[in-house]
Amino acid sequence: MAIIEAHDIRKSYGNLEVLHDVDLSVREGEILGLIGPSGSGKSTLLRILDLIEPPSGGELSVFGIDAVEERGRWLDLRRRMGMLFQRPIVFNASVYDNVAMGLRYRRARGADIDRKVKEALEAVGLSRYVRSRATDLSGGEQQRVALSRVLVTEPEILFLDEPTANLDPGSTATIEAIVTSLNREAGMTVLISTHDLMQGQRLAHRVGVMIEGTIAQTGPSREIFHEPTDLRIARFVGVQNIIPGRVVSRREGLTVAEARGKQILSATPPPGEEVEMVIRGEDVSLHRREPGFEEAENLFPATVTAIEPTAPFVNVTVHCGCDLVALVTARRAETLGLHDGMQVWVSIQAKAVHLIPRSGAG
Ligand code: ADP
C-alpha cells in the first residue's frame, strides 16, 4: 500500500522553479533513498512530503489523506511523521530534556515521558549520556540525540535529510544501523535523501534519482547503477565509459553498435539508431593473453595509455580504437604487471554494455 502518493508536484520560489513533474509513490514499510547532485531538489521534496511546506501545484496524499485539499489536517498528519535534518538540532540542556522536548509538546504524561526517553536513548546507544549537556557531545552524538527526539514520538514515516553529511564514518555507520533496524524491527517507512551513492545503495530498498528538479529514474540501486535511463543519470552514478555510437545490426539476439569503426555487442535491445554505450569500469576486464569467447562476447586487443591509482582500485585507460577505462583492483593491476604502452586484451560481456538513446540525452 502507498503511504505517500505524489503526482505532478511542482515547487517554485518566486521565479525559480525548483521542482517539476515529480511523481513518487512510497510503499508502507520501505526505505526509499533519494539520491542526486547537490541542488537537484531533494531537500525541497522532503519538506513538501513531510508537510513542512506546501507544493506550488500537483497532487499529494499522505496516509491516504489528500494533503493539498485538507490543509486543516496537516498538524495531525505531521504528528505521524518525523524529520531529521543534516545539521543536528540540539538545545543547551541535558540530553534527557532534549529528547523529552518532543513529548512535552504533545502533552504526554510524565511517567510515559520518562520511559520513552530512556527507550529512545537506549535505541541510539546514548543511555550513559542522559544527564550530559547535549551541546557538549560530539557531532555524531548530537545527531543521535536529535534522532532519539524524533523516535520518542514514534513516527510512522521517518524523513532523513542528508543525516550523515557532516559526520565521521563511525557515527555514519551507527546512524545507518539504527535506521536499518527501525525499519526491520518496527516496520518504519523511511525516506532518506543523500548525495552519497554508496549510502543510498547500503540503506535503500529502492532509489529515486533526482536530476534538475525531478525524479529521473526509480528502481533498485543495482538497476540505477547498471541501467541508467539517460546520460545525466549515467554521469551521476559514476559510469566511466559513455561512448557515442550507432546501431548497425542485430546478431544472435544481441545488438551490434559501432563506435569509431569498432563493433561492440550489447544485450540491450536497440533504443534507436544513435546511442550512447554505457559501460561501468568494473565490467571492463583486462588480460595478458587473448581469452576465449566464453569469457565475454566482446574481446579486443588494446594498449594501456594511462594508469591512475584511486585506492584500493586503479583506473586503467586502454586504447582499442576508442578509449576505455577499466576499474581493476590494485592487486590485479600488480598481477597483470600493467604499465604504459603495454599490450593487453580487453573483455566485456554483452550484458555489461547498456544502450541509451542519444537524442535529447542532455
Ligand atoms: P538538494 O537537497 O538536492 O541539494 P535543495 O532542495 O536544497 O536541493 O535545493 C534545490 C534548489 O532550490 C536550489 O537551487 C536551492 O537554492 C533552491 N531553494 C531551496 N530552498 C529555497 C528557498 N526557501 N528559497 C529559494 N530557493 C530555494
Side-chain angles (χ1 to χ4, degrees):
M1 187 198 121
I3 198 161
I4 298 178
E5 194 80 59
H7 180 58
D8 211 10
I9 295 286
R10 284 179 288 112
K11 182 72 185 179
S12 301
Y13 296 107
N15 290 331
L16 179 71
E17 184 179 69
V18 174
L19 297 177
H20 63 93
D21 303 299
V22 174
D23 286 324
L24 183 69
S25 174
V26 182
R27 298 178 205 133
E28 192 169 352
E30 77 170 328
I31 303 184
L32 182 87
L34 278 181
I35 61 171
S38 205
S40 57
K42 302 180 297 294
S43 300
T44 306
L45 180 58
L46 285 187
R47 288 198 305 272
I48 288 174
L49 301 179
D50 188 33
L51 306 180
I52 292 176
E53 53 182 305
S56 309
E59 296 160 29
L60 174 62
S61 93
V62 183
F63 302 113
I65 290 159
D66 185 331
V68 176
E69 287 294 313
E70 310 234 20
R71 284 289 293 270
R73 296 177 71 176
W74 272 30
L75 194 59
D76 282 343
L77 295 175
R78 284 183 54 181
R79 288 193 163 177
R80 300 171 65 184
M81 309 191 267
M83 170 88 107
L84 185 70
F85 297 92
Q86 176 172 343
R87 280 181 215 292
I89 300 173
V90 298
F91 305 97
N92 187 9
S94 70
V95 166
Y96 184 96
D97 284 338
N98 263 273
V99 179
M101 188 172 295
L103 289 170
R104 290 190 182 127
Y105 272 128
R106 293 173 192 221
R107 301 180 199 284
R109 290 189 317 130
D112 284 347
I113 292 180
D114 199 55
R115 179 177 52 81
K116 288 182 176 174
V117 169
K118 287 180 176 154
E119 277 171 13
L121 285 173
E122 174 93 38
V124 301
L126 286 183
S127 298
R128 66 183 184 284
Y129 294 124
V130 63
R131 296 287 154 219
S132 309
R133 186 178 297 277
T135 42
D136 289 343
L137 301 183
S138 74
E141 287 159 349
Q142 291 189 10
Q143 189 64 313
R144 279 146 71 193
V145 171
L147 178 58
S148 37
R149 186 188 310 119
V150 176
L151 295 185
V152 278
T153 63
E154 299 171 50
E156 290 162 65
I157 312 176
L158 176 63
F159 292 86
L160 305 151
D161 188 5
E162 298 267 6
T164 61
N166 298 325
L167 303 187
D168 60 282
S171 303
T172 299
T174 309
I175 299 267
E176 288 182 3
I178 297 165
V179 170
T180 308
S181 89
L182 285 168
N183 171 262
R184 276 209 198 119
E185 277 143 44
M188 197 180 283
T189 306
V190 179
L191 254 86
I192 175 169
S193 78
T194 175
H195 65 276
D196 177 354
L197 290 170
M198 297 305 150
Q199 180 166 61
Q201 192 170 24
R202 282 194 298 273
L203 289 180
H205 302 129
R206 215 156 54 94
V207 168
V209 191
M210 288 209 72
I211 305 274
E212 295 165 13
T214 197
I215 298 188
Q217 186 174 358
T218 325
S221 52
R222 201 213 136 272
E223 207 169 282
I224 310 274
F225 274 72
H226 291 93
E227 295 163 20
T229 51
D230 79 33
L231 202 56
R232 298 165 310 171
I233 303 170
R235 289 197 183 117
F236 176 68
V237 299
V239 173
Q240 289 88 345
N241 300 290
I242 301 175
I243 306 164
R246 94 191 333 247
V247 171
V248 291
S249 63
R250 293 274 289 165
R251 188 192 302 161
E252 292 162 15
L254 299 176
T255 303
V256 184
E258 203 173 85
R260 294 179 175 264
K262 175 138 248 85
Q263 295 205 336
I264 297 179
L265 298 173
S266 164
T268 314
E273 198 179 332
E274 303 290 327
V275 293
E276 303 281 358
M277 297 183 232
V278 172
I279 309 170
R280 295 201 66 91
E282 59 271 28
D283 288 328
V284 179
S285 303
L286 302 182
H287 315 264
R288 287 170 73 96
R289 290 184 197 80
E290 182 174 3
F293 181 75
E294 64 278 6
E295 167 80 23
E297 293 84 350
N298 294 294
L299 296 173
F300 316 116
T303 309
V304 174
T305 56
I307 300 175
E308 181 203 1
T310 54
F313 296 100
V314 180
N315 276 326
V316 184
T317 308
V318 297
H319 188 74
C320 56
C322 54
D323 279 332
L324 281 171
V325 174
L327 184 66
V328 302
T329 62
R331 198 178 300 283
R332 173 103 183 123
E334 205 177 290
T335 308
L336 289 168
L338 293 180
H339 56 84
D340 263 6
M342 181 178 173
Q343 299 298 305
V344 290
W345 279 82
V346 172
S347 69
I348 308 168
Q349 294 190 331
K351 64 176 187 232
V353 181
H354 175 64
L355 303 180
I356 57 179
R358 187 150 15 131
S359 58

